[in-house]
Amino acid sequence: MERFETILKRVEDVLHVLGCVALVLIAVLINADILGRLFFRTPLQFQFEMVEFYLMPAVATLSLSRVFRENGHLCLEFIPPQTFGPFWPYVRIFMLLCSAAFFGAVSYMSGRFTLQTFQRDEVYFGIIDWPLGWAYLSVPLACSVLTVRLLFEITRKRSANSAPAL
């Protein structure tokens, strides 16, 4: 199990870095477009489509699993885990299973859609003809890794002193 967790962490870290790179690219492209319009009266023609189709989905999804692993997500806790007393581990497992089922379904449906897009060789026509399969790929990839992380967390042994991860 330790080897699997190490591999999963590495995959999550790589996806997280890619998401961060996408965020930096968004900032660079938008600022380059602004400066180009301001000083040269020429917009950066491809900026909007690249940000919209490729970079925003990457920023929104690629860090999901790592953020969950590090318990860095925002959550509203209106019923604290202590309320469930000794039943908390079972409630936690139920919530992880529900979450894994949801993200598994998102992975499957978005993966099917992405595969069809690749098979049909779909393109968005603009200044540049953008292949859409690559634009959609980050969603099924990231959601699949999150599904694996959620299922892994169910099987993981936790010490009695560790904080609940949800």
Side-chain angles (χ1 to χ4, degrees), residues 68-88:
F68 178 81
R69 179 185 85 204
E70 294 180 358
N71 207 12
H73 54 281
L74 296 175
C75 63
L76 297 174
E77 189 175 271
F78 57 93
I79 302 175
Q82 297 80 11
T83 305
F84 298 103
F87 297 107
W88 168 246

Side-chain angles (χ1 to χ4, degrees), residues 28-155:
V28 167
L29 288 172
I30 289 174
N31 282 298
D33 184 46
I34 291 168
L35 294 174
R37 289 172 190 268
L38 183 65
F39 293 119
F40 306 111
R41 298 185 193 271
T42 306
L44 195 58
Q45 298 290 339
F46 66 91
Q47 177 268 135
F48 182 76
E49 286 90 0
M50 184 165 193
V51 168
E52 179 184 15
F53 291 127
Y54 293 89
L55 300 177
M56 286 303 290
V59 167
T61 60
L62 291 179
S63 294
L64 285 173
S65 187
R66 180 170 173 188
V67 170
F68 178 81
R69 179 185 85 204
E70 294 180 358
N71 207 12
H73 54 281
L74 296 175
C75 63
L76 297 174
E77 189 175 271
F78 57 93
I79 302 175
Q82 297 80 11
T83 305
F84 298 103
F87 297 107
W88 168 246
Y90 303 107
V91 172
R92 181 179 172 276
I93 288 171
F94 176 73
M95 292 188 323
L96 287 170
L97 279 173
C98 289
S99 299
F102 173 77
F103 282 103
V106 171
S107 300
Y108 174 74
M109 296 303 291
S110 63
R112 205 172 89 189
F113 182 78
T114 301
L115 182 61
Q116 290 172 352
T117 305
F118 272 116
Q119 289 171 338
R120 294 182 197 145
D121 205 21
E122 292 185 23
V123 173
Y124 176 82
F125 299 105
I127 299 296
I128 297 174
D129 295 340
W130 299 96
L132 291 175
W134 295 106
Y136 301 146
L137 188 60
S138 64
V139 175
L141 178 63
C143 289
S144 296
V145 173
L146 179 57
T147 302
V148 171
R149 168 56 68 185
L150 292 165
L151 293 172
F152 177 76
E153 288 296 319
I154 292 169
T155 64

